[in-house]
């Protein structure tokens, strides 16, 4: 009798805590997932039910150019204290995703901290956002201030709370 192969948790499940922000800026179903590592680094990704991932949309472009004077690609970080990193607030835009049907989504950071890195791979391979949203298709890496690292998740939902929000949505599709 052959034994079933043992399933091990993924790297994300093993080392990161998932936090969620739902309906950001009042936009229905525009949810984000924040992966928080034990060293307090946070990875901003799209939640599984974000419209870009849900409705079979094709992504035509992704832009880190937030305004005429602000591009997240120009973020240059150096040294132990992460000098030169752009500081983000909870509602700071990270990038804009444009779909082939003309829909445009602005992705926000959801947490306060220094922008360490943006994922330039998704500029050339936007399909990574849909295929591997919590690994190679991440949006950005943010480092909260040390003093705020314990409180950074106060406005976010735990995995269980987020699942409850999703259950309410499916049972109440009109709201």
């Amino acid at each position: 009798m052959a034994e079933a192969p043992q399933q091990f948790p993924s790297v994300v499940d093993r080392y990161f805590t998932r936090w969620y922000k739902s309906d950001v800026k009042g936009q229905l179903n525009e949810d984000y997932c924040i992966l928080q590592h034990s060293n307090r680094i946070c990875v901003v990704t799209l939640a599984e039910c974000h419209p870009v991932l849900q409705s079979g949309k094709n992504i035509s472009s992704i832009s880190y150019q937030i305004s005429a004077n602000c591009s997240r690609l120009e973020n240059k970080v150096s040294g132990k204290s992460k000098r030169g990193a752009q500081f983000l607030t909870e509602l700071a835009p990270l990038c804009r995703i444009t779909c082939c049907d003309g829909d445009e989504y602005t992705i926000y950071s959801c947490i306060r901290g220094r922008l360490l890195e943006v994922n330039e791979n998704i500029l050339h391979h936007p399909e990574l956002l849909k295929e591997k949203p919590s690994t190679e298709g991440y949006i950005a890496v943010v480092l909260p201030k040390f003093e705020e690292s314990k409180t950074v998740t106060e406005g976010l939902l735990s995995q269980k709370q987020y699942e409850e929000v999703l259950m309410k949505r499916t049972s109440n599709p009109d709201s």
Side-chain angles (χ1 to χ4, degrees), residues 6 21 53 95 116 144 174:
Q6 191 173 5
K21 184 78 171 178
L53 303 179
C95 70
L116 298 186
D174 299 331

Side-chain angles (χ1 to χ4, degrees), residues 55-92:
S55 47
K57 292 182 179 274
N58 290 325
I59 300 168
S60 62
S61 69
I62 298 171
S63 173
Y64 284 109
Q65 187 74 37
I66 301 307
S67 67
N69 299 329
C70 180
S71 172
R72 301 298 182 205
L73 289 172
E74 294 173 6
N75 190 53
K76 301 291 182 228
V77 180
S78 66
K80 187 176 177 182
S81 62
K82 309 301 178 209
R83 272 187 301 282
Q86 296 173 8
F87 190 79
L88 304 172
T89 62
E90 291 91 344
L91 294 176

Side-chain angles (χ1 to χ4, degrees), residues 11-98:
V11 170
V12 172
D13 292 334
R14 197 167 176 192
Y15 296 109
F16 290 85
T17 304
R18 290 178 190 265
W19 296 96
Y20 294 89
K21 184 78 171 178
S22 66
D23 302 333
V24 175
K25 281 197 140 184
Q27 300 296 316
L28 203 60
N29 295 336
E30 285 196 29
D31 302 345
Y32 305 116
C33 177
I34 310 299
L35 304 172
Q36 185 182 39
H37 194 273
S38 57
N39 66 4
R40 81 180 203 274
I41 286 178
C42 296
V43 180
V44 180
T45 68
L46 296 180
E48 302 85 33
C49 73
H50 193 282
V52 169
L53 303 179
Q54 276 298 302
S55 47
K57 292 182 179 274
N58 290 325
I59 300 168
S60 62
S61 69
I62 298 171
S63 173
Y64 284 109
Q65 187 74 37
I66 301 307
S67 67
N69 299 329
C70 180
S71 172
R72 301 298 182 205
L73 289 172
E74 294 173 6
N75 190 53
K76 301 291 182 228
V77 180
S78 66
K80 187 176 177 182
S81 62
K82 309 301 178 209
R83 272 187 301 282
Q86 296 173 8
F87 190 79
L88 304 172
T89 62
E90 291 91 344
L91 294 176
L94 289 172
C95 70
R96 288 195 175 80
I97 299 173
T98 306

Side-chain angles (χ1 to χ4, degrees), residues 27-173:
Q27 300 296 316
L28 203 60
N29 295 336
E30 285 196 29
D31 302 345
Y32 305 116
C33 177
I34 310 299
L35 304 172
Q36 185 182 39
H37 194 273
S38 57
N39 66 4
R40 81 180 203 274
I41 286 178
C42 296
V43 180
V44 180
T45 68
L46 296 180
E48 302 85 33
C49 73
H50 193 282
V52 169
L53 303 179
Q54 276 298 302
S55 47
K57 292 182 179 274
N58 290 325
I59 300 168
S60 62
S61 69
I62 298 171
S63 173
Y64 284 109
Q65 187 74 37
I66 301 307
S67 67
N69 299 329
C70 180
S71 172
R72 301 298 182 205
L73 289 172
E74 294 173 6
N75 190 53
K76 301 291 182 228
V77 180
S78 66
K80 187 176 177 182
S81 62
K82 309 301 178 209
R83 272 187 301 282
Q86 296 173 8
F87 190 79
L88 304 172
T89 62
E90 291 91 344
L91 294 176
L94 289 172
C95 70
R96 288 195 175 80
I97 299 173
T98 306
C99 296
C100 292
D101 63 2
D103 287 350
E104 186 174 281
Y105 300 93
T106 301
I107 307 304
Y108 298 95
S109 72
C110 300
I111 53 172
R112 291 170 43 91
R114 293 179 183 271
L115 178 64
L116 298 186
E117 170 185 322
V118 293
N119 186 0
E120 293 183 38
N121 290 335
I122 61 174
L123 296 174
H124 310 293
H125 305 286
E127 68 277 0
L128 286 174
L129 260 179
K130 297 180 76 161
E131 294 168 4
K132 301 176 181 179
S134 57
T135 55
E136 296 167 43
Y138 71 95
I139 306 289
V141 178
V142 178
L143 178 65
K145 284 185 173 179
F146 182 74
E147 310 84 58
E148 296 177 2
S149 60
K150 297 282 189 240
T151 61
V152 75
T153 58
E154 281 180 354
L156 304 176
L157 302 170
S158 69
Q159 177 104 28
K160 186 175 185 217
Q161 291 169 322
Y162 183 64
E163 288 169 1
E164 290 170 5
V165 167
L166 293 180
M167 291 297 281
K168 286 179 188 169
R169 279 185 192 162
T170 54
S171 64
N172 248 354

